[in-house]
Amino acid sequence: MGGWPARARGCLGSTRMMGASPARRVALDILLDLEDSGAYARDALDASLKVRALDRRDAGLAMRLVLGVVASYGCLDDLIDAFSDKPDRMNSRVRNALRIATFELIYLGTEPRAAVSQGVELVRDRARSATGFANAVLRRIAECRDSYLDADDVREQGARGRFAASIVSLARRGGLPEWLTERIVDSIGFDSAEDLAAAEFEPAPVAVQVNPHDSDAEEDLRRIVRGAGNAREGFGEPLANGITVQEGQLPGAVLDVPSARLVGTDLLKRSGVAVCDLNAQVIATAALAEGRCLEVGSGRGTKTFVMTAQAQRLGIACSSVALELSRRKTSLNRRRLERAGLAEGVRFATGDGCDLDQSLRDIDGEAEGRALFASVLVDAPCSGTGTMRRHPEIPWRLLPVDVDEDLPELQLALLTEAAGRVVPGGQLLYATCSILKEENASVVNAFLASPAGAAFSLEPVSNAPAFRMDVCEGAADYVRAHEDGRGRFQTVPKPDGFDGHFCARMVRRG
């Protein structure tokens, strides 16, 4: 990787702290466990007794360190290896200790002397003989932080291969692979990609959809919001009456709920609310229509909850089928809706969305023919690049072949199969939580150009039936503000903003 001109951020001195902090020691233990188990970071943190034993401040730091290292480890390793004589011989304990300190230096802005000293102490706890090496490596990293993020090494060499310095700098600032950063820029433009990179190490805001059957949920949320001092909720009318309290808010949606306070209540346990990103709620609401609705890829049922809650709140008379490949997720969906009192009129099916004749055979049998639907939502498996700050494993586990071939092929197959289940005049929605055009616009274009898509016309998401209702006027304005010239809905993560989601709405000609 070469060297960077040193722009020191202050004297590092030689002060030594007495031992690594509890938060950093716990973070190191969890990172080592993740390497052995291959588990997801958030699952490991939720299950960790060591994290629970920390006070609130230390627990927060430990979680941020683990999630941050997992999200950026490729960048961290490149930087560590650049200052190591024999990086291949570094044991995992030393490497993960260096990753923690490097993450603090590069992305958290921890005071350099503290970050270096704590990194050395972490190494000392695990490999005393490597403390001198760790001190030397971390000091050099601290000195080159700004030059590294600015990609000065690439600027000095000109373009390195096909990656210009601006792309490399953007990748480093977001802790992302360079190939993925190039795809992101190609898909959403450089300015939006900068917003995404700036949000990668910040917590995503939490939004919930309120259960209209839970008479206490609204007051419980008011108490949580007021106690935290949040301003974006601004309750002014009962949620059940369809309040619009902020640009883009849907009826029944509450934004910026403090997650720690929410977890401290029984709202989730009793299904008084469902946690769901605002933009995912927009898509679920767009999928509503009078008559029968089909949800392909219902997962654990978050969008199912929103659809059923919104249908009752908005007075949309519909029944629905929630189809999911995983039997366990189907069971979780069913149990939550039953607990919420929202299961009436919902059928649950387990099966492959690429073979609806088999998966919906019981539904078809009752209909005495192939069941058709007024609205079909294909919530397609995708890269999840719009939700990377929530799922830190995504950027470094994702491969080019996933977004070039495997995922688009599956997505197109699901969309093609679902098209045959839409009634004339009905709508077909294709949704992902990706920001990559390979999975979004390209899949929709390929479908519309196919024989199956010839009967469909692309229509604005903002013209979906629910958004034509007066109570959803504010939400419709929000959707229009995020539509492209062809009416396709696309959002991109940014600091204090919600996740990246895509939705295209196609109507079957009569």
Side-chain angles (χ1 to χ4, degrees):
M1 182 172 275
W4 297 271
R7 292 190 220 156
R9 302 168 64 212
C11 177
L12 294 179
S14 58
T15 302
R16 177 187 166 189
M17 296 185 179
M18 298 304 293
S21 72
R24 293 176 177 89
R25 290 199 300 269
V26 168
L28 179 56
D29 288 342
I30 291 175
L31 288 169
L32 291 170
D33 289 343
L34 289 176
E35 284 197 349
D36 292 336
S37 68
Y40 290 106
R42 288 193 181 276
D43 292 341
L45 287 166
D46 289 344
S48 174
L49 297 178
K50 292 180 180 179
V51 171
R52 295 178 192 176
L54 296 172
D55 64 36
R56 185 171 180 177
R57 183 175 179 179
D58 281 343
L61 176 58
M63 293 176 68
R64 193 164 192 189
L65 292 174
V66 170
L67 296 174
V69 167
V70 171
S72 61
Y73 80 86
C75 291
L76 302 177
D77 282 355
D78 282 347
L79 195 47
I80 292 167
D81 291 351
F83 296 121
S84 304
D85 292 334
K86 299 177 181 179
D88 293 340
R89 297 179 60 183
M90 193 183 308
N91 70 51
S92 63
R93 292 182 175 182
V94 172
R95 180 171 291 280
N96 277 293
L98 292 179
R99 284 172 173 170
I100 290 172
T102 302
F103 176 75
E104 290 197 67
L105 288 166
I106 300 299
Y107 297 113
L108 281 192
T110 302
E111 195 277 323
R113 284 187 301 174
V116 171
S117 179
Q118 284 290 291
V120 170
E121 292 304 312
L122 278 178
V123 170
R124 189 189 307 276
D125 286 348
R126 303 288 180 153
R128 182 175 293 272
S129 62
T131 54
F133 160 77
N135 184 63
V137 168
L138 292 176
R139 283 171 171 268
R140 295 185 69 183
I141 290 173
E143 291 168 354
C144 79
R145 187 242 186 201
D146 294 335
S147 295
Y148 170 77
L149 292 177
D150 290 342
D152 287 349
D153 54 317
V154 179
R155 297 182 196 282
E156 291 176 353
Q157 302 166 12
R160 191 186 70 192
R162 63 194 180 113
F163 293 113
S166 59
I167 296 293
V168 176
S169 175
L170 183 59
R172 291 174 180 176
R173 282 183 276 138
L176 302 170
E178 291 170 3
W179 74 267
L180 180 57
T181 303
E182 187 181 40
R183 302 294 181 85
I184 292 171
V185 170
D186 187 46
S187 296
I188 63 175
F190 197 87
D191 290 345
S192 292
E194 284 193 308
D195 286 339
L196 180 145
E200 277 301 284
F201 300 111
E202 298 299 323
V206 175
V208 300
Q209 173 69 204
V210 179
N211 180 354
H213 291 309
D214 191 324
S215 59
D216 296 325
E218 182 181 337
E219 186 55 39
D220 290 345
L221 282 170
R222 290 177 189 269
R223 193 176 302 112
I224 291 171
V225 169
R226 286 170 179 163
N230 281 16
R232 283 178 65 185
E233 288 74 18
F235 294 96
E237 303 174 38
L239 288 172
N241 289 347
I243 180 173
T244 300
V245 301
Q246 184 76 13
E247 179 191 9
Q249 183 156 353
L250 289 163
V254 181
L255 313 184
D256 291 351
V257 177
S259 58
R261 288 177 176 268
L262 178 63
V263 171
T265 72
D266 69 343
L267 273 167
L268 295 175
K269 185 177 181 180
R270 74 179 197 246
S271 296
V273 300
V275 175
C276 184
D277 183 82
L278 171 63
N279 296 317
Q281 293 192 49
V282 165
I283 292 170
T285 304
L288 291 174
E290 297 278 346
R292 291 198 297 188
C293 301
L294 171 63
E295 181 187 5
V296 178
S298 56
R300 298 172 183 264
T302 301
K303 285 192 177 74
T304 315
F305 185 103
V306 175
M307 291 172 66
T308 53
Q310 291 288 53
Q312 295 191 26
R313 180 176 289 112
L314 300 176
I316 297 175
C318 64
S319 60
S320 62
V321 175
L323 174 67
E324 167 56 37
L325 182 61
S326 164
R327 193 172 300 279
R328 177 176 176 273
K329 291 179 180 178
T330 298
S331 178
L332 291 172
N333 189 3
R334 183 196 302 271
R335 289 206 300 269
R336 175 159 64 174
L337 285 193
E338 289 176 346
R339 188 167 59 243
L342 294 170
E344 185 177 356
V346 181
R347 295 288 302 275
F348 301 91
T350 302
D352 187 350
C354 291
D355 186 1
L356 292 181
D357 286 347
Q358 175 66 21
S359 300
L360 300 179
R361 63 187 183 279
D362 292 342
I363 308 294
D364 289 343
E366 295 171 6
E368 298 181 353
R370 296 179 78 248
L372 299 181
F373 299 85
S375 181
V376 177
L377 169 63
V378 177
D379 198 3
C382 68
S383 63
T385 44
T387 64
M388 291 186 292
R389 59 187 168 175
R390 298 184 192 272
H391 306 290
E393 291 82 6
I394 287 174
W396 295 98
R397 289 188 181 183
L398 199 62
L399 299 173
V401 68
D402 295 328
V403 298
D404 287 340
E405 300 176 21
D406 295 347
L407 285 168
E409 181 179 333
L410 173 60
Q411 291 156 351
L412 181 58
L414 289 166
L415 187 54
T416 300
E417 180 73 1
R421 293 292 181 148
V422 181
V423 300
Q427 63 175 11
L428 172 63
L429 281 76
Y430 170 75
T432 73
C433 54
S434 172
I435 55 172
L436 301 179
K437 67 180 184 181
E438 291 88 348
E439 300 178 86
N440 296 337
S442 295
V443 171
V444 172
N445 291 341
F447 168 73
L448 291 172
S450 71
F456 289 82
S457 59
L458 189 63
E459 301 289 342
V461 175
S462 57
N463 284 351
F467 295 138
R468 296 198 291 268
M469 303 176 71
D470 290 344
V471 73
C472 289
E473 181 179 357
D477 289 341
Y478 174 83
V479 174
R480 278 189 285 271
H482 292 87
E483 286 176 338
D484 63 16
R486 301 184 66 190
R488 297 173 297 199
F489 177 74
Q490 176 74 75
T491 57
V492 176
K494 60 182 179 180
D496 298 321
F498 290 92
D499 289 347
H501 286 268
F502 173 85
C503 183
R505 176 175 173 265
M506 293 153 282
V507 174
R508 183 166 193 161
R509 291 186 287 273

